[in-house]
Amino acid sequence: MAKTGNYIRFDWAMKHMLRDKANFGILEGLISVLLKEDITIEEILESESNQNSDTEKFNRVDIKAKNSKGHLIIVEVQLTRQLYYLQRILYGACKAITEHINIGEKYDQVKKVYSISILYCDYGQGEDYVYHGETVFRGINKGDELRVNMKEDGVIVQQLPKEVFPEYYLVRVNSFTKIPENPLDEWMEYLKTGEVKENTHAPGLRQVKEKLRLLSMTPEERRAYDEHMDNIMVQNDVLDTARDEGRAEGLAEGRAEGRAEQNIATAKKLKAAGMDADFIRNITGLSPEDYS
């Protein structure tokens, strides 16, 4: 049985519990800590990954919410590395915008989007465990930020582009190794270990302690949760093995096409392990005809 801390892991909670309005406070806490402002979730919006396919169960889960300001917030957990991840989160933000503006509406109805990715996989290189990206137009000569005029509540006001364009947060769970010193650190510790400090004051974590205790699960829920954790461990083991073997085969080629051969070898190993075509495409970028 998979080991975990005292509380239910966040990806499972997102899939099964945080969509309940009674548990919004947990998600509000995490988002408030990241955005450094108080966030109130008004509703959870329907998301395409609410489906229960095997790939979605074990690879990715997300929640799309609307806050009290009308902004859209996408919180996503990614369990395994995906080849075109940056492109996919960009697509997700753009799709959220287009889904929430009707044909014929003015552009002032475009929603601000926050995309928060909680990565349980090694993605990218960097020394920090949380990265934040936003759109800034800066003068190439003067270095000043561009402000644009817009109409808000019948009044012309100036606004920075970053107040309109999507913002992205990449939370690299595996890169967190420090002793918690602030609310964000305490959240990182929970995301990584499933543990919460007894005297925590971090927004949302008190609700975690009240509502996400492993011991409060029914026997049926605990069996399903343990199976989920075991499946994650098996999947990651299969993926790591396939990559290692594929990398060895690619290096043995000693040529420029070695990287392509490595991807094909990885895809074949994943197929042999029973992974479906969509999962293999996400990991390697290859279609079934490329490795058949």
Side-chain angles (χ1 to χ4, degrees):
M1 186 168 62
K3 298 290 184 183
T4 187
N6 299 321
Y7 301 95
I8 297 165
R9 212 171 92 145
F10 194 68
D11 61 299
W12 177 269
M14 279 182 58
K15 193 75 172 179
H16 297 277
M17 306 172 78
L18 300 190
R19 301 174 193 278
D20 184 339
K21 193 173 182 66
N23 296 326
F24 281 5
I26 296 172
L27 199 58
E28 289 169 349
L30 171 60
I31 298 170
S32 296
V33 167
L34 277 173
L35 272 56
K36 298 180 180 178
E37 62 175 293
D38 290 336
I39 295 295
T40 301
I41 294 175
E42 293 294 312
E43 60 178 317
I44 299 295
L45 306 168
E46 197 55 41
S47 175
E48 62 181 11
S49 72
N50 290 359
Q51 58 191 308
N52 288 316
S53 71
D54 286 343
T55 299
E56 297 300 345
K57 279 182 185 177
F58 307 131
N59 186 45
R60 177 169 65 93
V61 59
D62 68 21
I63 281 181
K64 184 166 60 176
K66 184 171 71 174
N67 70 6
S68 56
K69 298 179 180 178
H71 299 159
L72 302 176
I73 301 173
I74 303 170
V75 182
E76 176 174 308
V77 173
Q78 183 75 24
L79 300 176
T80 57
R81 193 177 187 279
Q82 185 171 346
L83 191 60
Y84 301 115
Y85 189 73
L86 290 180
Q87 290 87 337
R88 190 169 64 70
I89 62 173
L90 171 61
Y91 173 78
C94 295
K95 186 176 182 183
I97 292 170
T98 57
E99 283 178 345
H100 291 88
I101 185 169
N102 297 319
I103 295 176
E105 285 187 326
K106 296 180 180 178
Y107 289 122
D108 62 358
Q109 297 302 306
V110 168
K111 305 297 184 185
K112 168 79 174 183
V113 173
Y114 296 91
S115 173
I116 300 170
S117 297
I118 301 171
L119 306 172
Y120 281 92
C121 49
D122 294 327
Y123 190 87
Q125 297 179 355
E127 297 180 2
D128 213 326
Y129 47 89
V130 178
Y131 286 87
H132 174 221
E134 58 188 2
T135 300
V136 176
F137 292 105
R138 196 175 298 282
I140 63 173
N141 296 304
K142 302 292 186 179
D144 60 319
E145 277 193 60
L146 175 69
R147 289 184 176 272
V148 295
N149 291 331
M150 65 166 290
K151 192 173 183 180
E152 190 173 271
D153 297 328
V155 180
I156 300 296
V157 297
Q158 284 199 329
Q159 197 166 38
L160 293 169
K162 64 184 178 184
E163 297 174 281
V164 178
F165 284 82
E167 293 185 35
Y168 302 89
Y169 290 83
L170 300 182
V171 181
R172 304 164 74 232
V173 176
N174 294 343
S175 297
F176 180 75
T177 57
K178 60 184 291 192
I179 296 173
E181 299 175 350
N182 54 54
L184 177 57
D185 289 351
E186 291 185 30
W187 260 101
M188 293 298 301
E189 183 176 52
Y190 163 61
L191 293 173
K192 185 170 184 177
T193 68
E195 298 175 356
V196 179
K197 292 174 63 175
E198 201 58 41
N199 60 344
T200 183
H201 295 289
L205 288 185
R206 286 187 177 276
Q207 289 94 322
V208 168
K209 292 177 63 177
E210 294 170 5
K211 301 181 179 182
L212 300 188
R213 287 186 179 275
L214 285 172
L215 294 178
S216 67
M217 282 183 157
T218 66
E220 293 77 15
E221 290 171 336
R222 185 59 187 263
R223 279 194 294 270
Y225 179 71
D226 287 341
E227 182 181 353
H228 168 77
M229 295 297 295
D230 288 338
N231 279 323
I232 289 173
M233 292 179 67
V234 169
Q235 175 181 275
N236 286 336
D237 184 58
V238 168
L239 185 57
D240 289 343
T241 300
R243 279 184 177 145
D244 289 344
E245 293 181 359
R247 186 177 296 112
E249 293 178 26
L251 289 173
E253 294 293 326
R255 300 191 298 272
E257 61 266 24
R259 284 191 297 273
E261 292 297 326
Q262 175 187 330
N263 260 359
I264 292 172
T266 299
K268 289 180 176 179
K269 298 290 183 183
L270 293 174
K271 180 181 178 182
M275 299 298 172
D276 63 33
D278 287 338
F279 179 81
I280 296 172
R281 183 182 294 108
N282 282 340
I283 299 301
T284 66
L286 299 178
S287 299
E289 56 268 20
D290 296 324
Y291 51 87
S292 298

